[in-house]
Amino acid sequence: MAKTARATKPKPWAEAATHLVDVAMGRRPADLVIRNGRWVNVHSGEIIAGTDIAIAGGRFAYCGPNAGHAIGQGTKVVDAGGRYLVPGLCDAHMHVESGMVTVTEFCRAVIPHGTTSMFIDPHEIANVLGLPGVRLMHDEAVAMPINVLVQMPSCVPSAPGLEHAGAELTVADVAEAMGWENIIGLGEVMNFPGVAANDPVMAGEIAATVRAGKTVGGHYASRDLGLPFHGYVAGGPEDDHEGTRAEDAIARVRQGMKAMLRLGSAWYDVASQIKAVTESGLDPRNFILCTDDSHSGTLVHEGHMDRVVRHAISQGLKPVTAIQMATLNTAQHFKLERDLGSIAPGRLADLLIVSDLAAMTIDEVYGRGVRLAKGGKLDIDIPAYDYPKTAKNTVKLGKKLRPGDFDIVAPIGANEIRVRVIGVIENQAPTRALEADLPVEDGLVAMDRRNDVCQIALVERHRGTGGVTNAFVSGFGYMSDCAMASSVAHDAHHIIVVGTSKQDMALAVNRLGEVGGGVVLFSKGKELALVEMPIAGLMSDERAEIVAAKADKLTEAMRKMGCSLNNAYMQHSLLALVVIPELRISDVGLVDVTTFQKVDLFV
């Protein structure tokens, strides 16, 4: 039976140093010694064979050729058998909520994949529950047996005036949170026009973070690398994960930022940007790997940061360099090099025993000197975290939706009309601003399934206004009568429903109102798949593997409806993200994110 893991934080280095010295000198025994390993040294860029590692009090005490002097009567000894000793992997930027699960379940899913440090930005729950929601996830993070550091959300709502979220965060809220024990910095500053325009809220939040000596996260989603980009960098953001081209990564690094390259479930931005290192020769110390958004199915079936490192290696990076980008570079960026990111004396004893470095075959995972996983399975159990009732029942529709709520009335006398269409780009977060000529039937604008134009609607769900915004989207390829609705709709998290049948659209939205949120797919009046997410309408309270199985069923149902997109659910959930170009939907209407202006549906 797996032992229960409770968060035991090792003493700070300053308090532990004398004991570590005694262990390193052989005056006291280590708790654990791992012998005969190949030390992947991310400081020197070497792989050093015949290395022993001695651990005491959850920290590394000795790293060298022979730790025999640190072995005492109570010391546990592990023979690495010539395998690689790799620092625990760090995810530099991610949103737990995108995994559909709680922090606890996310940790359970990723620990066997070698992730021992996560830098999470809970701005999804912040958009629903505000500062109390952030505090809930902060406190849950503190209770984990690995390092889960929290970035205080910066933009709630993400684009003031262009959407209405369920809550709002202020400069005072940010300043207060900077005093919490587990806050590591400011989450991605998505309002990049606001920073360039010296918006007082953005400037105030960044200033509060800098005064606290913490890191300011960035999010510059525009392809314009001219004056708006320079103004944004001058405003204080220190990293960015929104680049999609090699020139994006180069521009950020040249300006003193860290280029974060992401490989999430639906964002494949490493291959194009890593050429800044492999082809242009930029210093890899300024590049960091992350996931941003990982679906529960990806976590369970494909992995987490091990997947990202593996992919980076396949793009031409040396294994040690790729590992640096997922360990030391991250720790240095967040001013945590004395604790995280390497196997070296004094650091927290987070390490992996790896049998194949290029393939990132992880045999054992240690966190704070305790073995947490072996052979891809957890060695421990992490107690579930109990979310209060105030975090549930957050879907307030205000009325029962009917098919007629999704009618789009055409101008009088029109037989055909040109409309704006949101165009999905596979494996990328941006969308295209498309146009299409659609027929008018009985005074209503009709969908064009043959040309892959179906309907999208955003249903207000925080205040029960009953408001519905209707528009069109292309890229899902639905060929049957169907509709998929989700209460995960970055960042304001209203309900987004996409479909080819207004009847199914109404059924799907109403079903989410019944279960308190999640994602559901209907076809011809029948429910094909449902993932319940009762916590803020964003997260399930079930085990990660159960959620992944339900998500797999959803994916398969979408395929049967004609959708062949990679991780189409992720693409669906970002259609209201009014801080990434080009065209999005919000409770205000259609938004042109290249100009940050509301635009008409009809051209």
Side-chain angles (χ1 to χ4, degrees):
M1 185 174 180
K3 57 183 179 292
T4 299
R6 304 192 181 279
T8 53
K9 286 199 171 182
K11 292 180 181 178
W13 193 346
E15 296 177 20
T18 55
H19 181 63
L20 296 177
V21 170
D22 283 341
V23 173
M25 294 297 293
R27 293 190 289 262
R28 284 188 164 185
D31 301 325
L32 170 66
V33 169
I34 300 176
R35 310 205 73 173
N36 188 28
R38 297 184 191 180
W39 179 16
V40 178
N41 193 310
V42 290
H43 290 286
S44 65
E46 301 171 281
I47 297 176
I48 306 168
T51 296
D52 288 0
I53 305 292
I55 295 168
R59 293 182 179 271
F60 298 116
Y62 170 89
C63 307
N66 186 350
H69 62 283
I71 297 174
Q73 188 173 0
T75 304
K76 182 178 180 180
V77 179
V78 173
D79 184 2
R83 291 173 293 175
Y84 298 92
L85 306 179
V86 177
L89 303 179
C90 307
D91 191 343
H93 174 74
M94 54 163 284
H95 308 284
V96 165
E97 302 97 317
S98 293
M100 301 178 166
V101 294
T102 62
V103 176
T104 300
E105 290 306 312
F106 203 103
C107 288
R108 287 186 69 256
V110 303
I111 287 172
H113 293 289
T115 301
T116 59
S117 296
M118 306 191 306
F119 294 79
I120 72 171
D121 180 352
H123 71 218
E124 320 301 354
I125 200 169
N127 272 273
V128 180
L129 298 176
L131 193 61
V134 178
R135 186 75 210 204
L136 283 171
M137 290 189 71
H138 169 278
D139 292 351
E140 184 181 11
V142 171
M144 295 299 102
I146 60 172
N147 316 300
V148 184
L149 294 308
V150 181
Q151 294 176 289
M152 176 60 187
S154 62
C155 298
V156 179
S158 62
L162 294 177
E163 66 177 356
H164 300 96
E168 182 177 348
L169 294 181
T170 65
V171 175
D173 291 330
V174 170
E176 175 189 333
M178 288 301 146
W180 297 354
E181 66 172 304
N182 213 36
I183 294 289
I184 195 64
L186 188 65
E188 54 182 309
V189 181
M190 295 177 286
N191 186 358
F192 51 92
V195 175
N198 273 330
D199 174 84
V201 174
M202 292 295 94
E205 291 183 357
I206 292 170
T209 305
V210 173
R211 280 194 292 267
K214 300 183 178 182
T215 303
V216 180
H219 169 118
Y220 185 81
S222 173
R223 295 168 72 90
D224 182 357
L225 298 176
L227 290 182
F229 171 67
H230 288 272
Y232 182 75
V233 178
E238 299 172 70
D239 59 56
D240 187 47
H241 58 273
E242 288 296 337
T244 59
R245 308 166 297 174
E247 55 262 45
D248 295 330
I250 291 169
R252 284 149 177 80
V253 169
R254 284 176 176 170
Q255 295 293 320
M257 301 177 84
K258 295 294 188 293
M260 288 188 175
L261 315 184
R262 64 182 171 187
L263 179 72
S265 292
W267 327 135
Y268 285 60
D269 299 323
V270 175
S272 57
Q273 294 188 89
I274 204 63
K275 293 177 182 177
V277 175
T278 58
E279 296 181 6
S280 298
L282 268 64
D283 190 335
R285 291 179 299 175
N286 296 306
F287 292 77
I288 294 172
L289 297 176
C290 69
T291 64
D292 197 2
D293 298 293
S294 290
H295 185 269
S296 58
T298 302
L299 299 177
V300 171
H301 302 310
E302 299 179 46
H304 189 230
M305 284 306 297
D306 59 329
R307 170 177 175 260
V308 186
V309 171
R310 196 179 302 120
H311 175 71
I313 293 169
S314 76
Q315 299 305 312
L317 282 184
K318 294 191 301 183
V320 173
T321 304
I323 291 167
Q324 285 172 327
M325 291 182 183
T327 57
L328 182 61
N329 293 7
T330 303
Q332 290 176 332
H333 179 57
F334 287 102
K335 307 174 181 67
L336 292 175
E337 184 186 351
R338 295 280 287 184
D339 278 326
L340 304 179
S342 67
I343 297 173
R347 277 69 173 182
L348 293 176
D350 302 334
L351 85 158
L352 320 175
I353 298 180
V354 174
S355 52
D356 185 326
L357 200 60
M360 283 303 291
T361 304
I362 299 170
D363 298 337
E364 298 183 36
V365 179
Y366 290 81
R368 303 170 187 173
V370 176
R371 195 176 75 186
L372 304 178
K374 182 178 181 181
K377 303 292 183 183
L378 275 177
D379 250 3
I380 58 164
D381 189 33
I382 309 172
Y385 190 83
D386 188 25
Y387 274 77
K389 289 182 180 179
T390 54
K392 301 178 181 179
N393 300 314
T394 61
V395 176
K396 303 176 178 68
L397 298 179
K399 67 178 184 181
K400 185 174 181 179
L401 275 292
R402 301 183 183 280
D405 289 313
F406 304 105
D407 287 345
I408 299 175
V409 178
I412 295 174
N415 295 316
E416 184 180 80
I417 189 158
R418 179 164 285 249
V419 300
R420 290 183 169 85
V421 178
I422 302 170
V424 172
I425 304 175
E426 187 167 21
N427 292 330
Q428 288 194 7
T431 62
R432 292 190 180 95
L434 305 177
E435 295 180 1
D437 294 315
L438 297 182
V440 175
E441 300 172 359
D442 298 326
L444 302 177
V445 183
M447 298 173 245
D448 186 357
R449 193 181 305 179
R450 290 176 302 174
N451 291 307
D452 192 20
V453 177
C454 61
Q455 198 159 328
I456 180 173
L458 184 142
V459 180
E460 199 282 331
R461 68 104 161 176
H462 296 304
R463 297 170 181 85
T465 65
V468 179
T469 302
N470 286 299
F472 295 96
V473 65
S474 175
F476 287 100
Y478 292 131
M479 298 301 294
S480 300
D481 288 348
C482 65
M484 189 174 88
S486 170
S487 57
V488 177
H490 305 270
D491 275 332
H493 296 294
H494 294 292
I495 288 176
I496 285 180
V497 57
V498 172
T500 57
S501 158
K502 294 177 185 178
Q503 179 185 9
D504 287 328
M505 291 172 75
L507 289 170
V509 173
N510 291 332
R511 182 68 168 131
L512 294 186
E514 293 171 4
V515 300
V519 56
V520 66
L521 179 63
F522 272 80
S523 178
K524 298 178 181 178
K526 181 181 177 183
E527 180 180 301
L528 302 185
L530 170 67
V531 184
E532 304 94 330
M533 301 185 216
I535 301 172
L538 302 173
M539 296 178 286
S540 172
D541 50 8
E542 294 185 295
R543 289 272 167 146
E545 55 270 24
I546 295 173
V547 178
K550 291 182 177 182
D552 288 346
K553 184 177 180 182
L554 174 72
T555 300
E556 182 56 31
M558 293 177 76
R559 285 199 188 101
K560 289 180 178 178
M561 295 299 103
C563 181
S564 61
L565 280 175
N566 174 54
N567 223 308
Y569 162 73
M570 282 288 195
Q571 304 277 180
H572 177 108
S573 70
L574 260 69
L575 293 172
L577 187 50
V578 290
V579 291
I580 296 183
E582 294 177 339
L583 189 63
R584 305 282 166 169
I585 190 171
S586 85
D587 61 310
V588 171
L590 269 184
V591 177
D592 181 339
V593 190
T594 62
T595 62
F596 278 83
Q597 298 289 325
K598 178 184 173 183
V599 293
D600 291 333
L601 174 62
F602 302 141
V603 178

